[in-house]
Amino acid sequence: MSNSCFHCGLEVTSRHRIQANIDQSLHDFCCAGCASVCQTIYQSGLGAFYQQQTGSILPAVDLEYPLEFYDAAVFQQPFLEVTDADEKIITLISDTIHCAACVWLIEKSLGSMSGINWVRASLTDKRIRISWQAQAIQLSAIMQRLADLGYSAMPYEQNIAEQIANRSNKAMLYKIGFAAFTMMNLLWISIAIYTGASDGKYYHYFQWLGLALATPTLFYSGLGFLTNAYNGLKNGVMNMDVPISIGALTTYFYSVYVLFGFSAKGEVYFDTVVNFIFVILIGRYLESSAKKSSISVASSLQQLQPKVALVIKADEEIITPISAININDRILIKPGERIPVDGRVVFGVSEADESLLTGEARPIVKGLGDEVFAGSVNGQGGLEILAEKTLKQSALGKIVSLVENTQHNKSAIVCSIDKIIPYFVAITLLLATATFIYWYPQGVDLALLSATSVLIITCPCAFGLATPMSIAVASGAAIKDNMLIKTSNVFEVLDQVDWVVFDKTGTLTLGEFEITQIEAKCDNLIQIMASIEKRSEHPLAQAIVAKNRDTFLPVSAFNSVPGQGVSATIEGQSYRVGRLSFVEDTHPVDQQMLEKSQHIECQGASCIWCANSQGILGFVALSDQIKTDARAVVKQLQALGKQVSILSGDSQAVTQKVADYLNIKQVVAQALPADKADYIQQLQEKYRVLMIGDGVNDAPALVQADTSMAIGSGSDVSVNHSDVVLLTSSLLPIIAMINLAKRTNRVIKQNIAFALIYNMFMVPLAMMAIVTPLFAAIVMPISSLIVIGNATRLRNK
């Protein structure tokens, strides 16, 4: 039994049916995406759209929805990334992006619009990321500009992207099939002509039959080339379809010219037109398949995002698309199911496998009040959770976003190549014209075929794919080793790094502190310190909070001074907690207590002091463990010729003890956040610097460094300001990342060198009339496939 989707009109089978309540009526949908979009349309008060629709709402070229839809807040909400009050970011997908010149045109045209912050288009996955100022320009104006350029686009969602890709692949296969049919028939005609029919009475009929087969092939199978070439020329851009279209049209119309008797000496070349259209289509299809395969890691991550969930409303379980789940919705998680959104357990006890997010293989017990994360797998028990974040805001959503966005962050090499591509095509046209003029005295046929070969064989795609494809594959390989790449420039810079700077707490050490000693002048020292530290993110603070066995005191006027400590008011009394230099103020420190703290710090523990307006109240000593792999990683870095140093806000004695164990000679202790940034800046006068940290106080240094890594279990601030996020607390991925950067740069150089050699070798052959148009059509897509295949090697260890 089958029905049609209420939203898009595609077939709905009993196996793939999603049902949703729309305007108090139950309707069938082909996927969760259609159900979500339909609910959004009705929530916007735009349900009349469906009464005006006369067929499928999946047009091939026009805008998907009326312009006013794109500006509706409820329509934008599932797709937007809002970074501040005014800036908005959206990811679009367009199956009409097919070459590097398309990328250049989209970025240049949209980037020139007032209110656009930046535009990044990707050839590898056909996506467009746009940042704009909401007060200056509307999304509808951006969508209209894209449509005017000839690019159909829609907000990116995985299921929609799959539908577009499948529809595009199906259309291309139809075109390939038709071109193959006409090519085979023209092949038989060519065999007949070359074996003697050229002198027979049916020769002229064979030529007319060639016209009948070549015409629909050119204007159906080759329509994509012609359309893209027209759009490019209309917008003043030479894309790679311009030379292909000129070559095909010139050869076709010259053959028509000969067929109609305007030339007594010439030959018809309808078989050449059909053959190279067929071969180029095959090349495009294989290239598209290779791209999809090479960046499959990001797609596999998306598969971990559930499509629907059971939402409990009025004691009824309702199947709801993930994008339609709201914060505070109550969701039922059955045993063995993936958790759909980040939330908190309100009923039930179970275990969750969070290895995707933490790298920890051991299941974690989840009970009342515990946090759960999207993408993790529920164990044997049933859970009911309260949604606290939407899918895009969830930990898994952020990981997927980071993986995808890396492909849009362009390195300096990519930006340079993108600027060259349009001029490259223009030079191709000049070379083809020169070739035609040179060979014209030898005959129009030879001049035409030689010029056509030049037009076809000079392909800028190998240049355009050389760097972004390598970066996309390397980013996918990185995530397998628990590394998230946030900026593509990291591959260029990391290969040149010669000084590595480590934060200590939480980076070289586990950051899991335990209180080993308490020196107090009052009975409730831990209660006071814990009540204040409860509002801090620092690992030391968490250890103090965990030690408290009393009720927490009410705190006001809380203030954090990164690298120093925190202050607050309790029952009208001001307190400071942190370093001795931060809390002592003008009050003298008891000499015996000071000597005791110095002795403890020499043993490798850290002392946190507490004081009020009357004086020092005491301190607590906390110890931490060095990570088991830290020594091996430091040794490997030194073996690679890297200088290594520790940059810590902790005391000199504690930091030096860690440095001695790890055989690190350069140590900077008791550094404030500004001091850390200054130290990095001093190193940068002579070296390329990599900073690795995990805390709020590391953020200035992470930003200052040439490139940076953050421990994923650290603070949000450090993660947001780093170039690479390590999803595990292990330090081994650092070595893997440096090696991957070396291999990625090597592959990029190989690809660019190949693209240069290919053009330097093949273009002269075409200009010398040695290469035929058919051979050119075979070789041109092979050059792109070689670049993609070489980049794919980065997936191998």
Side-chain angles (χ1 to χ4, degrees):
M1 178 183 175
S2 66
N3 202 347
S4 60
C5 177
F6 180 71
H7 176 66
C8 70
L10 295 178
E11 183 183 36
V12 176
T13 64
S14 56
R15 185 179 176 185
H16 300 102
R17 174 181 294 146
I18 297 291
Q19 290 188 318
N21 195 330
I22 305 295
D23 198 24
Q24 300 182 346
S25 298
L26 201 63
H27 292 283
D28 292 339
F29 296 89
C30 64
C31 66
C34 283
S36 174
V37 171
C38 183
Q39 286 179 333
T40 301
I41 290 172
Y42 270 89
Q43 289 169 6
S44 310
L46 300 169
F49 170 72
Y50 289 98
Q51 279 86 47
Q52 299 172 11
Q53 199 66 30
T54 56
S56 170
I57 62 168
L58 293 172
V61 176
D62 296 333
L63 287 172
E64 182 80 6
Y65 306 107
L67 279 175
E68 61 270 19
F69 274 38
Y70 294 102
D71 297 331
V74 290
F75 181 89
Q76 294 181 4
Q77 190 272 331
F79 312 107
L80 280 187
E81 302 170 35
V82 182
T83 57
D84 56 41
D86 195 37
E87 185 189 19
K88 292 183 178 180
I89 301 174
I90 195 168
T91 301
L92 306 175
I93 183 165
S94 173
D95 61 345
T96 46
I97 297 176
H98 67 282
C99 73
C102 295
V103 171
W104 183 86
L105 172 60
I106 290 170
E107 292 183 344
K108 183 179 180 184
S109 181
L110 294 187
S112 65
M113 298 176 72
S114 177
I116 297 288
N117 297 326
W118 48 259
V119 182
R120 294 171 187 149
S122 170
L123 176 61
T124 54
D125 56 17
K126 299 182 182 294
R127 296 179 203 168
I128 309 163
R129 274 177 60 78
I130 305 167
S131 167
W132 76 96
Q133 297 297 320
Q135 301 300 321
I137 190 171
Q138 296 290 335
L139 178 60
S140 57
I142 299 170
M143 300 298 292
Q144 186 61 60
R145 172 63 68 88
L146 277 171
D148 292 342
L149 292 172
Y151 297 96
S152 58
M154 62 183 69
Y156 171 75
E157 261 191 331
Q158 185 196 357
N159 50 355
I160 294 176
E162 289 173 352
Q163 288 178 15
I164 291 173
N166 292 337
R167 190 168 69 244
S168 178
N169 286 341
K170 186 182 290 186
M172 183 172 284
L173 286 173
Y174 282 142
K175 292 179 178 181
I176 290 172
F178 185 83
F181 168 77
T182 56
M183 184 188 70
M184 287 186 290
N185 282 278
L186 274 171
L187 181 63
W188 287 114
I189 293 172
S190 299
I191 291 172
I193 291 174
Y194 296 145
T195 54
S198 58
D199 298 325
K201 61 180 180 179
Y202 296 109
Y203 176 61
H204 200 56
Y205 294 109
F206 281 138
Q207 289 182 323
W208 280 99
L209 188 56
L211 173 65
L213 292 171
T215 301
T217 304
L218 176 61
F219 294 104
Y220 168 63
S221 296
L223 183 62
F225 304 129
L226 304 179
T227 303
N228 293 325
Y230 170 75
N231 288 333
L233 292 172
K234 183 179 70 173
N235 292 289
V237 176
M238 297 287 188
N239 60 42
M240 66 166 291
D241 282 336
V242 172
I244 290 174
S245 298
I246 292 175
L249 290 172
T250 304
T251 307
Y252 173 81
F253 283 113
Y254 174 75
S255 299
V256 171
Y257 176 82
V258 171
L259 180 60
F260 278 86
F262 296 107
S263 173
K265 297 180 181 180
E267 295 289 340
V268 296
Y269 297 99
F270 294 121
D271 56 338
T272 301
V273 175
V274 172
N275 287 348
F276 81 69
I277 285 178
F278 170 74
V279 171
I280 291 174
L281 282 173
I282 287 288
R284 287 274 174 94
Y285 183 79
L286 293 176
E287 185 180 314
S288 175
S289 300
K291 287 179 190 175
K292 184 177 179 181
S293 173
S294 67
I295 57 176
S296 60
V297 172
S299 299
S300 65
L301 269 179
Q302 292 170 331
Q303 299 296 333
L304 298 175
Q305 299 177 319
K307 305 297 184 294
V308 293
L310 288 174
V311 176
I312 302 173
K313 292 184 178 178
D315 296 328
E316 187 179 351
E317 298 172 8
I318 301 172
I319 298 176
T320 306
I322 296 301
S323 56
I325 291 178
N326 298 313
I327 293 174
N328 292 327
D329 277 355
R330 194 180 180 103
I331 302 167
L332 173 64
I333 315 293
K334 294 181 179 180
E337 290 184 345
R338 284 199 180 274
I339 296 171
V341 293
D342 289 5
R344 199 170 293 275
V345 177
V346 292
F347 181 80
V349 176
S350 184
E351 291 182 334
D353 178 1
E354 297 179 351
S355 56
L356 170 72
L357 302 173
T358 64
E360 175 58 60
R362 186 177 66 252
I364 300 170
V365 176
K366 299 293 180 181
L368 186 66
D370 289 335
E371 280 188 298
V372 291
F373 303 99
S376 54
V377 180
N378 185 26
Q380 298 299 314
L383 294 175
E384 290 183 16
I385 69 169
L386 207 63
E388 293 186 338
K389 295 179 180 178
T390 63
L391 187 59
K392 273 192 174 292
Q393 298 167 341
S394 68
L396 177 61
K398 289 178 180 178
I399 291 174
V400 173
S401 179
L402 284 172
V403 174
E404 292 175 343
N405 294 347
T406 301
Q407 298 161 17
H408 301 272
N409 296 327
K410 300 194 173 184
S411 64
I413 297 175
V414 177
C415 292
S416 299
I417 291 175
D418 284 351
K419 293 175 182 177
I420 293 170
I421 293 295
Y423 302 102
F424 184 95
V425 178
I427 292 171
T428 297
L429 296 177
L430 290 174
L431 290 175
T433 304
T435 302
F436 182 86
I437 294 170
Y438 178 82
W439 288 108
Y440 184 78
Q442 306 295 321
V444 178
D445 288 23
L446 180 62
L448 177 68
L449 293 179
S450 300
T452 301
S453 298
V454 173
L455 289 170
I456 296 169
I457 210 163
T458 50
C459 175
C461 276
F463 277 115
L465 290 170
T467 301
M469 183 57 65
S470 300
I471 290 172
V473 176
S475 300
I479 199 169
K480 288 184 177 180
D481 286 329
N482 294 311
M483 300 176 289
L484 280 177
I485 313 301
K486 292 176 62 182
T487 58
S488 57
N489 266 329
V490 71
F491 292 107
E492 290 179 56
V493 178
L494 197 56
D495 190 24
Q496 303 166 12
V497 162
D498 36 30
W499 197 296
V500 181
V501 180
F502 284 97
D503 171 51
K504 181 183 73 70
T505 305
T507 303
L508 291 171
T509 65
L510 293 173
E512 297 174 357
F513 290 88
E514 291 183 358
I515 293 179
T516 55
Q517 191 168 338
I518 301 173
E519 292 292 329
K521 291 184 177 180
C522 61
D523 295 333
N524 63 339
L525 177 67
I526 292 295
Q527 185 183 24
I528 293 170
M529 294 179 72
S531 299
I532 297 171
E533 293 282 26
K534 190 178 180 182
R535 302 192 179 193
S536 174
E537 284 187 339
H538 200 282
L540 291 169
Q542 295 168 13
I544 296 171
V545 172
K547 185 71 173 178
N548 183 39
R549 297 291 179 268
D550 299 315
T551 57
F552 290 97
L553 302 171
V555 173
S556 61
F558 176 86
N559 182 46
S560 176
V561 182
Q564 291 274 39
V566 294
S567 62
T569 300
I570 299 176
E571 297 176 352
Q573 178 69 265
S574 296
Y575 292 89
R576 285 189 174 191
V577 178
R579 286 183 178 186
L580 179 59
S581 59
F582 176 67
V583 304
E584 64 179 337
D585 202 9
T586 57
H587 300 287
V589 184
D590 181 87
Q591 189 62 31
Q592 185 178 358
M593 187 176 285
L594 179 61
E595 290 175 357
K596 189 174 289 188
S597 71
Q598 291 172 344
H599 176 72
I600 290 171
E601 288 182 341
C602 287
Q603 305 305 311
S606 299
C607 293
I608 301 299
W609 296 77
C610 179
N612 61 14
S613 55
Q614 276 75 49
I616 302 293
L617 299 179
F619 70 85
V620 296
L622 300 102
S623 61
D624 192 9
Q625 297 295 316
I626 298 173
K627 291 180 179 177
T628 55
D629 58 1
R631 198 170 191 173
V633 168
V634 170
K635 187 176 181 180
Q636 288 184 64
L637 287 171
Q638 291 169 338
L640 289 170
K642 316 291 184 188
Q643 298 272 8
V644 181
S645 61
I646 297 180
L647 180 59
S648 175
D650 212 337
S651 68
Q652 182 69 42
V654 174
T655 307
Q656 190 62 54
K657 186 174 180 64
V658 173
D660 291 342
Y661 176 79
L662 297 176
N663 194 29
I664 296 175
K665 305 302 181 185
Q666 291 84 11
V667 178
V668 177
Q670 295 181 309
L672 298 176
D675 299 331
K676 291 187 175 186
D678 290 342
Y679 175 70
I680 298 293
Q681 194 169 19
Q682 290 171 17
L683 292 178
Q684 286 175 316
E685 293 176 3
K686 295 182 179 180
Y687 306 99
R688 283 290 186 102
V689 181
L690 164 64
M691 173 69 192
I692 305 169
D694 78 318
V696 174
N697 58 340
D698 298 321
L702 291 170
V703 173
Q704 178 63 46
D706 295 289
T707 188
S708 56
M709 297 184 187
I711 309 298
S713 57
S715 71
D716 289 343
V717 175
S718 63
V719 169
N720 290 338
H721 287 84
S722 65
D723 299 318
V724 180
V725 180
L726 307 182
L727 295 179
T728 174
S729 59
S730 170
L731 298 178
L732 289 174
I734 296 170
I735 304 298
M737 186 65 219
I738 291 173
N739 291 332
L740 179 62
K742 288 181 180 294
R743 293 172 57 216
T744 302
N745 279 311
R746 187 163 60 243
V747 167
I748 289 172
K749 290 173 183 175
Q750 290 170 356
N751 284 343
I752 292 175
F754 168 76
L756 286 170
I757 293 170
Y758 162 81
N759 282 282
M760 289 170 62
F761 182 71
M762 297 305 299
V763 173
L765 290 179
M767 295 181 71
M768 293 163 62
I770 296 174
V771 173
T772 65
L774 179 58
F775 181 79
I778 294 171
V779 173
M780 186 265 285
I782 289 177
S783 67
S784 295
L785 290 174
I786 290 173
V787 166
I788 294 170
N790 191 39
T792 304
R793 292 191 304 114
L794 289 168
R795 290 189 296 188
N796 303 323
K797 295 263 184 179

